Amino acid sequence: MTSQSYLAQLFSLDGQVAVVTGGSSGIGRAIAGALARAGASVVLVARRESELAATVDELTADGCRAAWVSADLSTRDGVRAAAEQAAEAFGEPDILVNSAGINLRPPMGELDEDVWDATMAVNLEAPYLLGRRFGPGMAERGFGRIIHITSQQAHRAFVQSGAYGVSKGALESLARSQAEAWSPHGVTCNTLVPGFVMTPLNARLSSDPERVAALAARTMAGRNGVPEDFAGAAVFLAGRASGYVTGQAIFVDGGFSVH
C-alpha cells in the first residue's frame, strides 16, 4: 500500500456529501473549502446570496462539486426549507457542519427576550432541527458525521458571554446527546471550539487593536486564530479516521483555553 492510498483511506471524503451552514464566510467558509477539496460534494447554507455564489464559484473553479442555498435559519420553517433544498443538490448528506451563528452580546442587565430568542434560534435550535432531519438517515445508512462550531464561551464567561455563551454551552450538550443516540449506528457527533478568530462574527472585538493583542497574548501560539486553522480538524472529524471520536469538544485555539 502506498502512502497516498493509506492517507486516502483515512482522510479522503470522495463520494461523501456535506452540508455546511454559515459556509460563505469565516470558519464555515474555510471548512466548506477543506471538505470540498478533500473530495466531498458540499452544499453551503447561509443568508447572503452574493457571498454564497462567490464561494461556490471559487470551489468549482478548483474542480470541486459545490452548490448553495440561501436561507433564513432564524425560523423553524426557514431551517426546514433549507434542509430540503440542501438535500436536493447532491442527495442526503453524510456530513453536517453547523457553523452559522449570531453574536449578540449586550450586557446581561440589558439582555432582552428578543436577543435571547434570536440567539437560541440560530445558534441552538437550527443545529437541533438539522440534526433531527439528517441524523436518523445517517444512522440508518450506518455512517455520518455531525460537527458543531462552538466557542470558548461554552466553557468560561468573559467579554460579556450573555446568551451567546449559553447557546454554545447548550450546543456542546446537544452534540453529546446526539452522540449517545447515533454513535452506535456509525454517526459521530463532535464540536470544534475556537479561540478568538478574526472573522466577521467577531467584528466588534476585531476593531479594537489593544483587545486583539491582549487575546493573542493569552494563547500559547502567540497569535489569534484564522479560519484556515480549522481545515485539518474538520477533515479529520468528517472522515473515517475519526470513527472512534465522538461526543468530544476539540479545542482549536492555539492553547488559549489552557494558558
Side-chain angles (χ1 to χ4, degrees):
M1 178 182 292
T2 66
S3 60
Q4 185 174 1
S5 61
Y6 175 71
L7 290 173
Q9 284 186 2
L10 287 177
F11 301 114
S12 173
L13 302 180
D14 286 345
Q16 305 295 314
V17 175
V19 171
V20 181
T21 72
S24 63
S25 66
I27 293 172
R29 189 179 194 274
I31 289 176
L35 300 185
R37 293 179 175 98
S41 300
V42 178
V43 184
L44 286 65
V45 180
R47 288 176 298 165
R48 291 183 283 272
E49 293 187 8
S50 59
E51 293 183 6
L52 285 162
T55 304
V56 167
D57 287 347
E58 177 184 313
L59 292 174
T60 54
D62 282 351
C64 302
R65 296 185 76 211
W68 59 267
V69 172
S70 176
D72 178 4
L73 299 180
S74 68
T75 70
R76 291 177 176 175
D77 286 345
V79 175
R80 293 187 180 107
E84 297 312 314
Q85 292 177 57
E88 289 174 1
F90 303 116
E92 293 291 314
D94 309 285
I95 302 159
L96 170 64
V97 180
N98 288 303
S99 184
I102 59 173
N103 191 359
L104 307 174
R105 286 193 272 176
M108 181 60 75
E110 300 172 16
L111 199 166
D112 60 25
E113 293 176 3
D114 289 342
V115 170
W116 176 273
D117 289 345
T119 301
M120 296 303 161
V122 177
N123 294 2
L124 180 61
E125 186 160 280
Y128 157 70
L129 291 172
L130 291 170
R132 183 181 177 187
R133 168 63 180 82
F134 296 130
M138 294 177 184
E140 185 176 337
R141 295 188 297 274
F143 178 88
R145 299 288 185 263
I146 298 176
I147 304 168
H148 304 295
I149 309 304
T150 61
S151 169
Q152 297 289 329
Q153 275 79 19
H155 300 266
R156 55 190 53 80
F158 66 102
V159 292
Q160 298 178 358
S161 296
Y164 180 81
V166 175
S167 71
K168 294 300 187 176
L171 188 56
E172 293 197 0
S173 291
L174 175 64
R176 291 189 288 270
S177 294
Q178 291 172 328
E180 179 187 28
W182 297 323
S183 293
H185 308 286
V187 182
T188 67
C189 307
N190 295 286
T191 68
L192 290 175
V193 188
F196 178 70
V197 183
M198 303 288 281
T199 69
L201 191 67
N202 284 323
R204 179 174 60 88
L205 288 177
S206 299
S207 63
D208 183 341
E210 290 186 4
R211 181 62 65 86
V212 169
L215 289 167
R218 286 187 59 174
T219 71
M220 291 180 175
R223 67 171 176 86
N224 291 309
V226 294
E228 290 70 25
D229 289 326
F230 295 82
V235 171
F236 166 66
L237 288 181
R240 297 192 178 278
S242 61
Y244 201 55
V245 179
T246 194
Q248 303 302 308
I250 298 176
F251 287 76
V252 182
D253 66 358
F256 183 100
S257 56
V258 292
H259 195 202

